Amino acid sequence: MPTFYAPDMAPGQTTFLLPEDESKHAVRVLRLVAGDAVALVDGRGTHYTATVADANPKRCSLRITAEEVIRPRPTYTHVAVAPTKNLDRMEWLVEKAVEVGLERLTFLRCAHSERRELKLERLEKIAVSALKQSGQAYLPQLDEMTDFTDFLQEIDPATTFIAHLEAGERTALAQVIGTAPRCCVLIGPEGDFSPAEIELALGRGVRPVTLGASRLRTETAALAAVFTAQVVREL
């Protein structure tokens, strides 16, 4: 069943008009006709079932037939990552992380960052596409670029972990997350966090972790953190 994103849907609403681009896709590409069943998701936890009322390629109208409120996950996964210079790798990360399941993704500006600025418009569209494809009910929060030092002032050190490559004792992320309902994992740029940044984080009470024996690319490490958090809690 085709799924469309409807962030403006309201509970109890009986009809919905697809935007022009979605209408064209529904009628010209998917070849939907009156009576065909479709799904809508608002990104805030509600799934809607609907049928096509008028297959107009510019103003395709839908009739809502049912709605279901999906409970949010009992856990909250937040990953903060320094984006790579190659934007394609961040787009891949957003797509896969949404599919696996997370609640928030923050982009960090670090001392060794190759990318200092980031526009979210393209990434937000990819997140919506991944939301529809994976059947998720909640659209994750994507944050603008934030200076590492500023971000450290916002976090709860008790539930925050930093994955770095410097020498020193580090614990496997899977061992420290356990059944904790919330976690935030910090992933540095290709050149890793600077020694000063690591010292600052540890001084705030953030715990150092490892994601395994392999040296991972930034986007791989961020996805590994999301996957680890979800799998450990499910088990």
Side-chain angles (χ1 to χ4, degrees):
M1 183 186 301
T3 300
F4 297 94
Y5 181 52
D8 299 327
M9 280 289 292
Q13 190 170 327
T14 59
T15 61
F16 184 77
L17 192 65
L18 290 177
E20 185 171 346
D21 58 336
E22 291 272 53
S23 293
K24 183 178 180 181
H25 180 72
V27 177
R28 299 297 189 200
V29 179
L30 300 178
R31 299 187 180 279
L32 297 179
V33 297
D36 283 349
V38 300
L40 297 170
V41 60
D42 64 3
R44 302 185 304 277
T46 305
H47 275 297
Y48 299 86
T49 303
T51 57
V52 176
D54 180 14
N56 186 313
K58 291 188 177 181
R59 296 171 58 85
C60 182
S61 62
L62 307 176
R63 183 179 296 108
I64 310 303
T65 57
E67 65 179 70
E68 179 186 10
V69 178
I70 309 299
R71 286 186 177 183
R73 282 184 288 264
T75 56
Y76 190 95
T77 302
H78 180 189
V79 169
V81 58
T84 57
K85 184 176 182 180
N86 186 337
L87 191 57
D88 288 347
R89 288 160 60 184
M90 287 297 97
E91 293 177 356
W92 176 87
L93 168 61
V94 169
E95 178 183 70
K96 302 309 176 187
V98 173
E99 290 178 8
V100 172
L102 83 163
E103 281 63 45
R104 184 178 176 188
L105 183 62
T106 299
F107 296 102
L108 298 176
R109 187 183 294 108
C110 300
H112 296 160
S113 290
E114 294 182 300
R115 176 176 290 275
R116 312 298 297 182
E117 301 296 334
L118 184 69
K119 294 182 179 179
L120 292 184
E121 184 178 359
R122 167 69 177 165
L123 297 178
E124 288 170 342
K125 290 181 179 179
I126 290 173
V128 169
S129 178
L131 175 85
K132 296 189 295 183
Q133 187 277 328
S134 60
Q136 302 281 353
Y138 292 87
L139 186 67
Q141 175 182 333
L142 300 187
D143 295 332
E144 299 279 357
M145 288 277 284
T146 305
D147 286 336
F148 180 79
T149 53
D150 292 338
F151 182 74
L152 283 183
Q153 303 307 311
E154 304 174 6
I155 54 93
D156 175 8
T159 59
T160 304
F161 310 94
I162 182 169
H164 67 79
L165 300 175
E166 289 287 311
E169 184 177 349
R170 290 170 291 152
T171 307
L173 179 62
Q175 293 180 11
V176 296
I177 286 182
T179 58
R182 301 180 69 90
C183 76
C184 176
V185 184
L186 313 182
I187 305 294
E190 291 297 311
D192 200 9
F193 293 110
S194 70
E197 288 171 333
I198 296 172
E199 182 179 356
L200 185 61
L202 299 183
R204 280 272 291 150
V206 176
R207 285 176 282 176
V209 295
T210 176
L211 298 170
S214 300
R215 183 184 293 267
L216 304 177
R217 284 181 176 271
T218 295
E219 71 278 13
T220 310
L223 183 61
V226 176
F227 185 78
T228 298
Q230 297 298 69
V231 170
V232 167
R233 287 151 165 175
E234 288 178 4
L235 294 177

